[in-house]
Structure formats: structure tokens, C-alpha cells
């Protein structure tokens, strides 16, 4: 197929990654930044799994759900994929994605509740990239599928306090990076200020002083560096980066996992609390630093299990200090899922695995007597796979609550509740 062949196609739907899909006599064509009903001119680029990936060249006719993208960087920046679609369409599409994932595993799509959405501008974690190009430094996000950097002047998704870091970052690193050199900058907004972790940069003494001055000027709570050997070193600590879960303050390790948006976190937490019913003994698996374990401990005795030693330790310390009913175990749940009698002592199990899901733990739960399981997931496909394992073992999937935590992207968060046998939903 000639690489620069240009053709007109009509978009009929969105694919799973948020690209518009055209059904042509020669097969499917995937076009980013298009909407159902659009007639567009495209350049075919390359063969992909189920068809051909294409680049949008011209919009001849706009579909009914197309809107003006609100951000000046849309199309250029790899952060967002759906800004050209109305909020109503995005919500409906995300909800349908969850339903379709269930249908593909022969699970009942009717249990999916209306999606709860979060306003843009609430994201509290950013993974910026910065690179010296010419005399200056570009700082922002990568372009879509490209190492090139979009020098962000605005971002509607991030909390504005994170966007405000970009100008001082550029100024600071202009004097510190050699031409072509770059680094990764992870910034997390905590209750006590911004916690920043730098990666891919080896500062000398002068650079350390400059960075300490930057941290003070930008009002960071803490600035740390992940060195080449993987160790994390604090460059400047001006405050203790903390977040509060269920009224308990947790001191975060550098680079700690947090739910992306505080508003989404509250929705997920409420769904988890409702999902466990009146359980008195609860396991919180893939617990992070206590997003669910600490609020759960207000109504139940909690055993929290987490694979990352630093996160587990942060939770352990916070729970001890506050006198919460939380015991913490550091454990790899893929290699050593909770099994048998270990599981059967719980009235409910909450699990919130990464995108890969929790197949091994689901298999162990399938063999257990645990009456209720609440699964939080950022990946409907692996959620449905693991849900099938539970349902085949006699659990009923009673409800799924999607949460649009990742606005303007194709990603979806959800909470599913499973009840064993004929137990109360
Ligand atoms: C999606 S996060 C959820 C964390 C927490 N529930 C929260 O809401 O903040 C997934 C968590 O699973 C942990 N994790 C990843 N792989 C794991 C494994 N094999 N065993 C145990 N924990 C793991 C990660 O460190 C991370 O904290």
C-alpha cells in the first residue's frame, strides 16, 4: 500500500482507543481526532492489528457530536484524544465501552450504572517531559506516539497549580541542560504542597543549588531525584507531602501512586464503602497507601495488602499513628495471591489492581467462601475477564459504576460489586 495514498472516508464509530473508525471495502481505517458522522480526507499510514491507521488531513463534513476542542494544544499534544467530542457523547461512549467489555465476556451489561463524570482541571498528578532545544527548554507532554515535546502553555485537564510549574521549570533547566538533553518531571499535588520527583538528570553541586532555589521559589513541599541506580534522594524538603484518606494523614513516599483526581477518588471511595455492605472484616488488596483501606477502617477491621514496600510502609505508619483498625502486609499478589483460609476469614474483599488486572487473585477468590467482592479497575477489558472468573464460580455481578476519572482520554475507571450466591445486593 502506498504510504501517501489519500482518500475520503466516513467515520461510523469510535474504536476502543478513541480513534474514529471508517468501514471501507478494503477494511477498517482508524483515524484519530474524528467523530462518528465525520466525512474526512485521510492519508493511510500503516497496517495495524485490525485494519489501517490513518492521519486526518481534511474535515469535509462534521458529524453531529463534533465540538470545537477547548484546548489550543489539542491535536498536537498526546495527552488528550477526545476533546473534539461533546461531553454527552464522551460519557455515552465510555459507558458503552464498559457495557461492550461485559458483553464480550457474556456478562450482563444492564448492571452498568450511569457514568459519573469529573470536571476537567482536577488532575493532581502530572508526568511532564522537558528537553533543551536550541537556546531554550521545552516542557510539557509528548506528542501523540512521538518523543517530540509539546511546549505546553495551557492544560485543561491538570489542576492549574501543576500547569503553573512549567514556566519556572523552563527557566531553571535552561541553565542546567546541555543541548538535546532532557528529563522526566513527576509532580503530585498533595494537601501540603507539590511533591516533585526528577528522573534522568544527574546534577552537579551548582545544579543542586539551582534546583534547591527553584524548589523554594516554586513553593514545592519536596523535590527529589531518582538517581541512575534507582535510589531516590531528597534534594530539598520544605514540608511533609501528605494526603488525607478517611480523616487520616498519610505521608507519601516520592512518586507515590494516587488516584488521578481527588473528585474521582471520592466517587470511587463512596462506591467501595457502599459495595462492602455491612462487612465487619475486609481485605483491601492492591491497597496503595490507603485510599480505600483508611476510609474502610471507619466501618470494618481492614487487612491491607500492597506490593510496593514504600507505599505499604506509608500506610502502616499512618494507620499506627492514628490508631486505625488496619494491618498491612507487603506482598506480591500475582505470585502469592491470598488463598483458602486466608481469604475465608473476610466478609468482603476489595481489590484495585493495575491495568493488567488480577487474574491470579480472581482465581483464588473463585475458590473461596468470601460473600462480597468489590473490584476497582482502570481497564474494562481485564475487569470483565476477571469478573467472568468470579461469575463462573457462583458470584453475581450486581452493579458496575463507571467513573470518568480521565477526562478527554479514552481511559475509564470503574467499581464492580460481586455477591456470592443469593446474598443481598
Ligand atoms: C491502581 S493502584 C491502586 C492503589 C490504591 N488502591 C489506590 O486507590 O490508591 C494499584 C496498586 O497495586 C500495586 N501493585 C501492583 N502490582 C502488584 C502486585 N503484583 N502485588 C501487589 N500489589 C501490586 C501498586 O503498587 C499500586 O499501589
Amino acid at each position: 500500500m502506498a504510504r501517501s495514498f489519500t482518500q475520503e472516508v466516513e467515520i461510523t464509530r469510535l474504536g476502543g482507543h478513541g480513534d474514529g473508525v471508517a468501514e471501507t471495502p478494503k477494511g477498517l481505517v482508524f483515524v484519530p481526532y474524528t467523530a462518528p458522522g465525520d466525512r474526512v480526507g485521510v492519508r493511510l499510514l500503516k497496517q495495524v492489528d485490525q485494519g489501517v491507521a490513518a492521519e486526518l488531513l481534511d474535515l469535509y463534513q462534521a458529524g453531529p457530536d463534533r465540538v470545537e476542542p477547548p484546548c489550543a494544544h489539542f491535536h498536537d499534544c498526546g495527552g488528550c484524544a477526545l476533546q473534539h467530542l461533546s461531553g454527552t457523547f464522551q460519557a455515552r461512549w465510555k459507558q458503552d465501552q464498559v457495557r461492550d467489555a461485559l458483553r464480550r465476556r457474556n456478562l450482563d451489561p444492564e448492571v452498568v450504572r450511569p457514568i459519573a463524570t469529573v470536571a476537567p482541571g482536577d488532575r493532581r498528578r502530572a508526568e511532564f517531559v522537558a528537553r533543551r532545544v536550541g537556546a531554550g527548554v521545552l516542557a510539557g507532554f509528548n506528542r501523540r506516539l512521538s518523543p517530540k515535546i509539546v511546549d505546553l502553555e495551557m492544560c485543561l485537564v491538570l489542576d492549574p497549580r501543576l500547569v503553573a510549574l512549567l514556566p519556572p521549570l523552563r527557566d531553571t533547566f535552561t541553565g542546567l541542560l546541555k543541548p538535546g538533553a532532557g528529563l522526566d518531571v513527576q509532580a503530585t499535588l498533595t494537601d501540603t504542597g507539590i511533591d516533585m520527583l526528577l528522573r534522568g538528570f544527574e546534577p552537579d553541586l551548582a545544579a543542586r543549588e539551582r534546583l534547591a532555589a527553584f524548589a523554594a521559589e516554586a513553593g514545592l513541599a519536596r523535590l527529589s531525584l531518582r538517581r541512575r541506580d534507582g535510589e531516590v534522594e531528597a534534594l530539598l524538603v520544605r514540608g511533609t507531602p501528605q494526603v488525607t484518606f478517611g480523616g487520616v494523614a498519610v505521608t507519601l513516599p516520592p512518586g507515590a501512586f494516587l488516584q488521578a483526581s481527588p473528585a474521582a477518588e471520592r466517587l470511587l471511595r463512596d462506591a467501595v464503602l457502599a459495595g462492602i455492605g455491612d462487612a465487619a472484616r475486609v481485605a483491601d488488596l492492591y491497597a496503595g497507601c490507603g485510599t480505600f483501606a483508611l476510609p474502610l477502617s471507619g466501618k470494618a477491621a481492614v487487612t491491607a495488602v500492597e506490593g510496593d514496600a514504600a507505599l505499604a510502609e506509608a500506610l502502616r505508619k499512618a494507620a499506627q499513628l492514628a490508631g486505625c483498625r488496619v494491618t498491612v502486609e507487603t506482598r506480591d499478589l500475582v505470585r502469592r495471591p491470598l488463598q483458602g483460609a486466608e481469604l475465608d476469614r473476610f466478609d468482603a474483599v476489595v481489590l484495585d489492581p493495575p491495568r493488567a488486572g488480577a487474574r491470579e487473585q480472581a482465581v483464588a477468590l473463585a475458590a473461596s467462601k468470601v460473600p462480597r467482592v468489590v473490584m476497582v479497575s482502570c481497564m474494562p477489558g481485564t475487569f470483565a475477564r476477571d469478573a467472568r472468573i468470579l461469575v463462573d464460580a457462583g458470584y453475581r455481578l450486581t452493579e458496575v459504576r463507571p467513573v470518568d476519572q480521565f477526562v478527554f482520554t479514552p481511559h475509564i475507571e470503574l467499581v464492580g460489586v460481586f455477591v456470592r450466591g443469593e446474598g443481598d445486593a
Side-chain angles (χ1 to χ4, degrees):
M1 185 178 299
R3 204 179 143 73
S4 60
F5 180 66
T6 305
Q7 68 178 70
E8 182 177 335
V9 295
E10 175 160 2
I11 304 298
T12 53
R13 60 186 166 89
L14 286 201
H17 299 297
D19 293 347
V21 181
E23 289 159 40
T24 76
K26 288 189 181 163
L28 302 181
V29 177
F30 296 91
V31 195
Y33 313 121
T34 57
D38 281 357
R39 288 201 67 80
V40 290
V42 302
R43 177 166 32 230
L44 303 181
L45 294 176
K46 62 173 182 184
Q47 204 71 39
V48 289
D49 262 359
Q50 293 163 8
V52 177
E55 175 190 12
L56 174 64
L57 298 179
D58 284 304
L59 176 63
Y60 302 129
Q61 190 187 308
D65 299 299
R66 182 174 268 283
V67 296
E68 196 56 38
C71 176
H73 296 296
F74 187 61
H75 282 202
D76 216 14
C77 173
C80 290
L82 305 179
Q83 282 192 18
H84 61 295
L85 291 156
S86 71
T88 314
F89 179 90
Q90 289 181 50
R92 199 176 58 227
W93 178 75
K94 290 194 178 192
Q95 195 156 321
D96 287 347
Q97 289 295 105
V98 177
R99 289 210 170 101
D100 289 348
L102 294 183
R103 239 183 241 116
R104 279 194 287 274
R105 296 282 176 176
N106 256 328
L107 296 163
D108 180 8
E110 295 306 315
V111 299
V112 178
R113 298 284 182 94
I115 191 165
T117 52
V118 165
D122 196 54
R123 190 83 72 87
R124 63 175 160 198
R125 299 173 74 209
E127 303 261 355
F128 294 125
V129 280
R131 185 171 317 117
R132 169 98 181 265
V133 176
V137 164
L138 305 183
F141 292 136
N142 283 116
R143 282 169 196 261
R144 187 186 150 97
L145 305 176
S146 160
K148 288 195 176 146
I149 294 175
V150 179
D151 200 35
L152 285 188
E153 295 197 344
M154 63 183 291
C155 176
L156 299 173
V157 169
L158 294 177
D159 187 294
R161 288 167 286 184
L162 295 174
V163 185
L165 292 170
L166 290 168
L169 263 176
R170 287 185 193 105
D171 286 351
T172 302
F173 280 98
T174 296
L176 297 181
L177 290 173
K178 296 200 177 88
L183 79 158
D184 297 329
V185 179
Q186 189 185 91
T188 304
L189 191 58
T190 76
D191 295 350
T192 46
I194 289 168
D195 188 24
M196 186 179 280
L197 176 63
L198 308 178
R199 239 184 357 241
F201 181 65
E202 298 284 315
D204 58 18
L205 195 60
R208 283 166 186 272
E209 281 171 11
R210 182 71 194 91
L211 286 173
F214 156 73
E217 281 159 29
L220 303 186
R222 178 173 61 190
L223 177 64
S224 316
L225 176 72
R226 189 175 293 283
R227 295 195 312 237
R228 223 174 268 149
D229 61 10
E231 290 298 308
V232 173
E233 177 192 343
L235 294 176
L236 188 77
V237 182
R238 299 176 64 249
T240 309
Q242 288 187 325
V243 288
T244 303
F245 302 125
V248 177
V250 179
T251 298
L252 297 178
F257 177 90
L258 287 180
Q259 295 293 341
S261 132
E265 179 195 299
R266 290 190 286 275
L267 291 165
L268 297 171
R269 177 203 61 201
D270 291 349
V272 166
L273 287 174
I276 66 154
D278 54 9
R281 290 157 305 170
V282 177
D284 178 21
L285 311 182
Y286 299 91
C289 53
T291 305
F292 305 129
L294 290 166
L296 281 167
S297 72
K299 51 187 288 205
V302 179
T303 298
V305 184
E306 164 59 41
D308 181 296
L311 290 178
E313 187 53 23
L315 171 55
R316 194 175 286 123
K317 275 193 183 142
Q320 262 167 15
L321 211 62
C324 296
R325 292 187 292 166
V326 179
T327 52
V328 183
E329 186 183 351
T330 308
R331 173 162 169 171
D332 184 328
L333 289 163
V334 174
R335 290 199 187 153
R336 283 203 313 127
L338 264 63
Q339 321 245 14
E342 270 183 314
L343 277 179
D344 288 340
R345 65 198 162 107
F346 296 113
D347 306 312
V349 168
V350 174
L351 64 167
D352 180 13
R355 295 169 71 81
R359 191 200 300 264
E360 296 75 8
Q361 190 58 67
V363 168
L365 279 164
S368 79
K369 299 193 183 90
V370 175
R372 296 179 86 89
V373 174
V374 180
M375 185 153 33
V376 183
S377 168
C378 57
M379 190 73 178
T382 52
F383 169 82
R385 180 200 67 198
D386 298 343
R388 184 73 250 168
I389 295 171
L390 297 179
V391 170
D392 283 345
Y395 282 97
R396 277 183 304 125
L397 176 56
T398 60
E399 66 169 26
V400 173
R401 290 182 182 270
V403 174
D404 191 3
Q405 161 150 250
F406 304 102
V407 279
F408 299 143
T409 81
H411 301 294
I412 310 163
E413 194 81 35
L414 61 84
V415 181
V417 177
F418 302 82
V419 178
R420 217 184 225 310
E422 294 307 309
D424 290 342

